[in-house]
Amino acid sequence: MAYVCPPHSYCSYLHDRLGDTGQATGCWFEELACPYYTFLEVGATVTLASIKGGQAPLDPKSILEDSQTDDTIRFLADSTAQDALANTIAIAQIDAGDYDAIFLSGGHGTMWDFATSSTLSNLIEAFDAEEKIIAAVCHAPAGLVNVKTASGEPLVKGKLVTAFSNSEEKAVDLDTVVPFLLETRLRELGAKFESGPDWGPLAKQDGNLITGQNPASSEPAAQAVLAALA
């Protein structure tokens, strides 16, 4: 989901089908709610945005009782947050010049629409051209795979990054469902990929690029954004 804001920004998606399985997917709720409140609590203006705008879906599995956190429970009871989620701004309406950072939250849906949206790629390139913070957690680094630097090289080439690992994808039995393995693709693009133990928190920063490995990494990734902007 996209929080595009002075001083922080977020991006998400509208894709809600898990490949050809017939199962629903969407934003992983923890990866939305945790950064959302992390940024708000330091006085940031947060704008939620998505590829097409309007209602952005949550992955049904991420709103089950055993997936809830203090932040997701708070979000569910927050009418302002709920309204923002139901009325996200379309990415095409976002001007990078109005924001200090963009934060991409994940969920399996991003593997389809983040990875194929030229509008999102162009927006991230605009943030990079202005040397602003670009952050992404879990599957959201899929939004980086077609992003180029001003010199035409892949944004992630030579950069230290992390993301949902091949091991984690296999552990959830979706390694043959997703359109590509994110770790593999990032390595193919020349990224210096690092991951920690499955499901453990891990965030990496290389210049203006901040990435987190999995849902547990949403908090350290969001805190890294704040530290980078301090």
Side-chain angles (χ1 to χ4, degrees):
M1 194 100 330
Y3 307 114
V4 178
C5 49
H8 308 294
S9 171
Y10 232 37
C11 262
S12 192
Y13 49 88
L14 208 60
H15 190 90
D16 64 357
R17 295 288 100 185
L18 192 58
D20 297 323
T21 66
Q23 298 178 34
T25 187
C27 179
W28 193 262
F29 198 11
E30 158 66 13
E31 298 167 30
L32 163 64
C34 175
Y36 179 81
Y37 289 116
T38 298
F39 297 153
L40 283 183
E41 288 173 359
V42 298
T45 300
V46 176
T47 302
L48 299 188
S50 64
I51 298 296
K52 295 182 179 179
Q55 178 70 58
L58 298 176
D59 188 311
K61 293 179 181 178
S62 73
I63 58 176
L64 296 176
E65 184 176 355
D66 60 0
S67 297
Q68 295 306 299
T69 67
D70 289 345
D71 288 319
T72 61
I73 293 169
R74 178 181 177 185
F75 197 102
L76 288 171
D78 185 338
S79 60
T80 299
Q82 290 293 308
D83 183 68
L85 182 64
N87 298 280
T88 63
I89 304 300
I91 288 297
Q93 298 176 357
I94 301 299
D95 185 340
D98 294 335
Y99 302 100
D100 294 325
I102 184 167
F103 189 105
L104 306 170
S105 61
H108 276 90
T110 61
M111 294 292 287
W112 283 268
D113 59 4
F114 271 17
T116 60
S117 172
S118 59
T119 303
L120 178 57
S121 294
N122 291 339
L123 179 62
I124 296 172
E125 288 170 359
F127 272 87
D128 188 52
E130 298 185 26
E131 300 182 341
K132 293 181 175 180
I133 296 298
I134 300 163
V137 67
C138 198
H139 287 91
L144 306 177
V145 299
N146 289 316
V147 177
K148 307 291 186 183
T149 65
S151 64
E153 295 282 359
L155 177 68
V156 298
K157 184 177 180 179
K159 294 287 186 70
L160 177 62
V161 302
T162 189
F164 203 65
S165 67
N166 289 353
S167 175
E168 288 167 318
E169 203 68 84
K170 291 175 182 177
V172 296
D173 294 324
L174 291 174
D175 54 306
T176 60
V177 173
V178 290
F180 57 91
L181 290 173
L182 185 52
E183 174 184 338
T184 298
R185 179 66 59 85
L186 292 169
R187 290 182 184 278
E188 289 171 348
L189 290 168
K192 299 176 181 177
F193 188 92
E194 289 189 11
S195 61
D198 289 0
W199 322 121
L202 181 69
K204 294 292 181 179
Q205 180 171 1
D206 193 330
N208 67 329
L209 183 60
I210 294 169
T211 49
Q213 181 175 333
N214 47 36
S217 306
S218 56
E219 172 68 17
Q223 291 294 344
V225 170
L226 295 180
L229 293 172

